Amino acid sequence: MIIVVVTFKIPSNLDMNSLEQKFLETAPIYKETPGLVRKNYIADVVNNTAGGIYCFKTLQNAKDWFNEERIAWITSRYSKPTIKFFDNPVIVDNDKNIIIS
């Protein structure tokens, strides 16, 4: 598995309710994203930062998703993102009461 952490600056006048609505507008896109296992939206409105944490099946799935077009879309919607890719060798899933490696 691959974890991608994406962060970007948000306008200082964007409150949590408004940000949540913006996130809900885009949430359906991710139901059809190839290789995406899960996406968590993240926000820190006090520090004007938001983003997402993505879990992809493969690095290729992740890199295919975060292409130049996707980065341009995020930039136009919010601001230029910082994107970091991580290997995810072990998962603790408390909902299913399992550890995956």
Side-chain angles (χ1 to χ4, degrees), residues 17-71:
N17 288 335
S18 300
L19 186 59
E20 182 179 355
Q21 290 308 308
K22 287 180 78 69
F23 287 166
L24 286 169
E25 288 172 13
T26 62
I29 295 169
Y30 300 99
K31 292 180 80 173
E32 303 295 325
T33 301
L36 182 67
V37 176
R38 170 174 286 150
K39 176 185 179 179
N40 294 79
Y41 288 86
I42 57 174
D44 178 355
V45 295
V46 171
N47 291 302
N48 306 325
T49 303
I53 299 175
Y54 302 74
C55 180
F56 282 94
K57 291 180 180 177
T58 68
L59 180 58
Q60 191 61 55
N61 290 142
K63 289 194 173 204
D64 287 347
W65 181 252
F66 288 104
N67 58 26
E68 288 182 29
E69 183 180 317
R70 175 76 40 209
I71 293 168

Side-chain angles (χ1 to χ4, degrees), residues 53-93:
I53 299 175
Y54 302 74
C55 180
F56 282 94
K57 291 180 180 177
T58 68
L59 180 58
Q60 191 61 55
N61 290 142
K63 289 194 173 204
D64 287 347
W65 181 252
F66 288 104
N67 58 26
E68 288 182 29
E69 183 180 317
R70 175 76 40 209
I71 293 168
W73 181 81
I74 295 169
T75 301
S76 69
R77 188 165 171 86
Y78 300 104
S79 64
K80 185 167 177 56
T82 299
I83 301 173
K84 295 182 180 182
F85 297 84
F86 298 89
D87 288 317
N88 183 201
V90 176
I91 299 170
V92 176
D93 187 328

